[in-house]
Amino acid sequence: MFSIFKHVKGLGLPAVAVIILLVIQAYFELSLPQYMSDIVDIGITQRGVPDSTPLAIAEQEAAGVDFSKTQMRYLLNKGGIMLAFSMIMMSAAILVGFFSARTGASMGMQLRDKVFRKIISFSNAEIDRFSTASLITRSTNDIQQVQMTAIMMLRMIFYAPILGIGGVIKVFGTRTGMGWIIGAAVGAVLILIIILLIIGMPKFKKMPILFDHMNLVSREILTGTNVIRAFGREKYEEKRFDSASTDLMNNQLFVSRVMALMMPLMMFIMNGITLIIVWFGAKGVDLGNLMVGDLMAFITYTMQIIMSFLMLSMISVMLPRALVSAKRVNEILVTEATINDIVNPLDEKVKSAKGDISFENVSFCYPGASDDALTDLSFTACSGETTAIIGSTGCGKSTILNLIPRFYDVTAGRITLDGVDIRDISQSKLRSLIGFVPQKGVLFSGNITSNIKFAGDFITDEQMHDAAMVAQAADFIAEKDDNYESEISQGGTNVSGGQRQRLSIARAIAKQAKIFLFDDSFSALDYKTDIALRKALNKKINDATVIIVAQRINTILHADKIIVLDDGKIVGTGTHKELLKSCEEYCEIANSQLSEKELHTDMNTIITEGGTL
């Protein structure tokens, strides 16, 4: 828990202010019982006369002293002091609440900011390690738990010891001779706290894990709703959700019952101690060994001592869960990203980059996997050319594209940009040169303008409109009531798959990058739109390096170079015509997708008549 405090700043001063205010509050709270004792023993019993011996009273009566006025004056004086103390206590308590809430809120804000920035810096390897569901829970629920506990700690964990120790000191000042009762009370409270901790600790530790699982199941069901409906698995998913929800509910109920049980047991101990004090105190009053006021003060101090332990017990119940949450948050903050910039990146060497990408004996293995996804790849994608990558599903096509922007780093060999190892270039500079269109079109909540201009404010309206024209998105945008200001919902769910893909392509084109990576980005487009888009694209980015991953041969017939992958290895490189003669794997793909006429038609004829580039 405390290790997480090193990640937040500016909390020292408010925390010191809180401690000082708590000392003030505790001092005046501990002073009140003594004044109450004086009011009872002197103000009421002795009519406001501290020296109430018969001789003293006789002398004062002879002097004509009005005891009713003396008594009233004494009561008003002591009562006024108690009222002033109460006002100071109230003011201190309000300020403690203000500073502790402000400190907790500041701590939560800083932790959320640091966690978010850390997650953004993670490569795909770290994201996969923690899982998206867990990262969401850690960024929200766990930080909230730490924040709430920090506030409680500031308000109670410092106040309780001050109040408890001060109460013990004051108890011995009452001279009642019943200090053993305090020892018995403290022992009973400590035993109760230890038992509750032993029972509840495993459940507290399990709570965040169950939250993670609940979050995971919820996200899977919500994102896969259409698949679930299509396969008629609603009942199964309902049972799966109900199982995760029930596990969480049972755990929460157990924890709640432990906490609910604590308060009645504490009250039982407090009332039992009060009964014991009254029983033995009454005997002392009867024997004349104890004043009624002292007995009342002793009871009050005893309750204050027990209340201080009650506060500590509440913290002790909350602390295990907060410790688990803090550990989970701290895991994110101390995790070092596997992909980092070198100390002195060579950004100047690619300031005027052409965009030539070279793979030199590149191999890659996913974290935790036993076999390489890519093995000994060597090829070059030159500027002004289109390099296509094709192969069977799972052969590593998308992996190649993920290595270029350094979503993952190669495990062997190197990738260069204009002869410079991309690991020697800062990530921000490298990615500023890349226009990336993922396999699944990802849009963000906002409008069409904010999505196409996602790369930055440097994109002008003219460039945005031009990019939309090239991506064949201008027509459907014009049909909308608000055109480019039309709303896009979270994930782009209010547009079709093809429209989502075209907007993703427009977003990459508007960036005016040197390198364009298309990860099967034309799969949701009809044949006519696919042809028109690639024609316009070829004219727009004819000086850039274009790398296309595709499943359809029609998409890559125009490519200057086609790379055929099989099981993570290059099994063929060349043009469409060359590969038909030299690569068996490519021939199999071509035979499955192209007609006999298309296979034997000259490439120039296909490009001219078929409309492909």
Side-chain angles (χ1 to χ4, degrees):
M1 177 72 180
F2 297 102
S3 62
I4 207 169
F5 292 139
K6 66 184 179 184
H7 299 291
V8 293
K9 297 178 180 178
L11 304 184
L13 220 59
V16 170
V18 167
I19 294 172
I20 293 171
L21 289 166
L22 288 175
V23 171
I24 294 171
Q25 183 182 347
Y27 172 79
F28 287 110
E29 186 170 352
L30 290 167
S31 300
L32 288 177
Q34 188 58 54
Y35 283 93
M36 177 60 71
S37 174
D38 290 343
I39 286 175
V40 173
D41 289 341
I42 299 175
I44 297 174
T45 306
Q46 300 175 188
R47 294 182 292 177
V49 181
D51 186 3
S52 59
T53 59
L55 180 60
I57 292 175
E59 290 177 352
Q60 292 182 61
E61 284 178 344
V65 174
D66 188 346
F67 283 100
S68 62
K69 290 183 179 180
T70 303
Q71 185 178 30
M72 184 57 65
R73 193 181 306 115
Y74 186 87
L75 291 174
L76 289 174
N77 178 46
K78 295 295 182 180
I81 293 173
M82 290 183 70
L83 182 62
F85 283 8
S86 298
M87 294 296 290
I88 294 172
M89 283 171 52
M90 181 184 70
S91 301
I94 292 172
L95 289 173
V96 165
F98 174 79
F99 282 118
S100 58
R102 193 174 184 84
T103 303
S106 176
M107 179 183 181
M109 181 191 71
Q110 290 187 54
L111 284 177
R112 280 190 293 272
D113 181 67
K114 286 182 177 292
V115 167
F116 179 77
R117 290 176 183 274
K118 193 71 174 183
I119 292 172
I120 289 296
S121 74
F122 282 165
S123 68
N124 289 10
E126 285 79 51
I127 299 293
D128 295 341
R129 171 189 158 192
F130 285 105
S131 85
T132 304
S134 180
L135 288 173
I136 291 172
T137 306
R138 293 171 194 243
S139 303
T140 52
N141 184 69
D142 284 336
I143 291 180
Q144 182 69 18
Q145 191 66 39
V146 171
Q147 178 180 330
M148 288 175 58
T149 306
I151 294 173
M152 294 290 286
M153 285 175 65
L154 277 174
R155 299 185 67 171
M156 290 186 180
I157 206 165
F158 294 115
Y159 186 61
I162 296 170
L163 191 64
I165 295 170
V168 170
I169 294 171
K170 290 286 188 177
V171 157
F172 287 106
T174 58
R175 299 181 300 278
T176 57
M178 293 189 291
W180 62 272
I181 297 178
I182 302 296
V186 170
V189 171
L190 286 175
I191 291 171
L192 176 62
I193 292 172
I194 292 169
I195 292 172
L196 292 178
L197 280 177
I198 292 172
I199 294 172
M201 183 70 80
K203 297 292 184 180
F204 280 115
K205 288 183 177 180
K206 195 176 179 182
M207 187 77 76
I209 298 170
L210 293 175
F211 266 115
D212 276 357
H213 183 61
M214 181 72 179
N215 197 359
L216 174 65
V217 172
S218 300
R219 288 185 75 254
E220 284 183 345
I221 293 173
L222 291 174
T223 54
T225 302
N226 289 341
V227 177
I228 293 168
R229 290 172 180 168
F231 283 85
R233 299 292 285 172
E234 292 92 340
K235 294 296 182 184
Y236 172 78
E237 293 301 330
E238 284 175 10
K239 289 179 181 178
R240 194 159 75 100
F241 180 83
D242 183 63
S243 175
S245 180
T246 301
D247 289 343
L248 180 60
M249 179 195 71
N250 291 336
N251 199 80
Q252 286 179 322
L253 281 176
F254 187 90
V255 169
S256 298
R257 285 166 184 157
V258 169
M259 295 184 70
L261 186 65
M262 179 185 67
M263 187 58 70
L265 289 175
M266 282 290 185
M267 295 305 298
F268 176 79
I269 291 172
M270 288 175 66
N271 291 329
I273 293 299
T274 303
L275 185 62
I276 293 171
I277 292 170
V278 171
W279 176 267
F280 286 98
K283 292 181 178 180
V285 172
D286 286 343
L287 296 173
N289 298 327
L290 184 65
M291 299 287 287
V292 174
D294 284 341
L295 179 61
M296 291 177 61
F298 184 84
I299 293 173
T300 306
Y301 287 131
T302 304
M303 293 303 103
Q304 287 177 339
I305 294 167
I306 295 175
M307 281 301 295
S308 67
F309 277 91
L310 178 60
M311 293 179 197
L312 290 175
S313 66
M314 291 176 64
I315 289 293
S316 67
V317 170
M318 293 179 65
L319 204 56
R321 184 176 172 187
L323 287 171
V324 175
S325 295
K327 182 181 178 182
R328 284 159 53 85
V329 173
N330 198 50
E331 281 178 0
I332 295 177
L333 295 174
V334 300
T335 298
E336 291 296 328
T338 53
I339 297 178
N340 297 290
D341 294 338
I342 63 172
V343 178
N344 297 307
L346 307 178
D347 292 357
E348 286 298 319
K349 288 190 175 183
V350 293
K351 189 174 183 181
S352 302
K354 288 172 59 183
D356 293 345
I357 294 289
S358 293
F359 278 60
E360 300 176 3
N361 306 113
V362 168
S363 295
F364 173 73
C365 181
Y366 281 102
S370 56
D371 299 321
D372 285 349
L374 300 173
T375 306
D376 198 28
L377 301 189
S378 294
F379 68 89
T380 299
C382 300
S383 58
E385 294 182 356
T386 298
T387 301
I389 303 171
I390 196 167
S392 59
T393 301
C395 67
K397 302 185 299 295
S398 297
T399 303
I400 290 175
L401 294 194
N402 286 332
L403 293 176
I404 296 171
R406 294 189 70 194
F407 296 155
Y408 294 99
D409 263 346
V410 299
T411 50
R414 68 172 191 160
I415 303 171
T416 64
L417 170 60
D418 294 343
V420 180
D421 193 322
I422 60 172
R423 289 170 293 191
D424 295 334
I425 306 169
S426 67
Q427 294 175 67
S428 59
K429 177 61 178 178
L430 174 65
R431 291 166 185 170
S432 71
L433 300 171
I434 296 174
F436 182 71
V437 185
Q439 193 169 9
K440 179 183 177 183
V442 177
L443 299 181
F444 300 91
S445 56
N447 54 34
I448 292 174
T449 297
S450 66
N451 273 278
I452 296 179
K453 290 186 175 183
F454 188 73
D457 296 334
F458 63 87
I459 299 174
T460 64
D461 288 345
E462 183 181 354
Q463 290 170 334
M464 176 184 69
H465 295 148
D466 188 35
M469 287 288 291
V470 172
Q472 307 301 303
D475 290 341
F476 82 79
I477 293 174
E479 292 173 0
K480 293 183 174 292
D481 294 336
D482 297 323
N483 299 126
Y484 286 87
E485 299 305 313
S486 298
E487 182 184 357
I488 296 293
S489 61
Q490 182 182 2
T493 54
N494 61 335
V495 293
S496 69
Q499 291 172 343
R500 191 157 54 241
Q501 208 163 55
R502 280 178 277 172
L503 288 175
S504 297
I505 294 169
R507 178 173 59 200
I509 295 169
K511 189 178 179 181
Q512 298 184 318
K514 293 289 184 181
I515 304 162
F516 286 91
L517 308 177
F518 296 97
D519 188 1
D520 201 14
S521 308
F522 309 102
S523 58
L525 306 180
D526 61 86
Y527 189 61
K528 180 181 177 182
T529 305
D530 186 357
I531 294 170
L533 192 154
R534 285 186 285 108
K535 272 187 176 181
L537 192 62
N538 188 55
K539 294 176 183 177
K540 178 68 178 175
I541 59 174
N542 56 9
D543 62 339
T545 301
V546 180
I547 302 177
I548 298 176
V549 163
Q551 298 284 352
R552 299 190 310 206
I553 281 188
N554 278 326
T555 302
I556 60 169
L557 286 175
H558 69 288
D560 299 286
K561 182 191 298 178
I562 300 173
I563 297 170
V564 185
L565 281 187
D566 184 39
D567 196 23
K569 300 174 183 176
I570 295 177
V571 293
T573 303
T575 63
H576 170 74
K577 189 174 182 180
E578 292 169 347
L579 288 169
L580 284 175
K581 296 178 181 179
S582 62
C583 183
E584 183 182 345
E585 288 81 358
Y586 187 79
C587 287
E588 290 178 0
I589 298 171
N591 285 324
S592 67
Q593 295 185 17
L594 300 178
S595 66
E596 190 71 22
K597 179 182 177 182
E598 288 173 318
L599 283 172
H600 294 92
T601 302
D602 184 75
M603 273 296 298
N604 293 325
T605 306
I606 294 176
I607 293 173
T608 303
E609 295 180 357
T612 51
L613 298 178

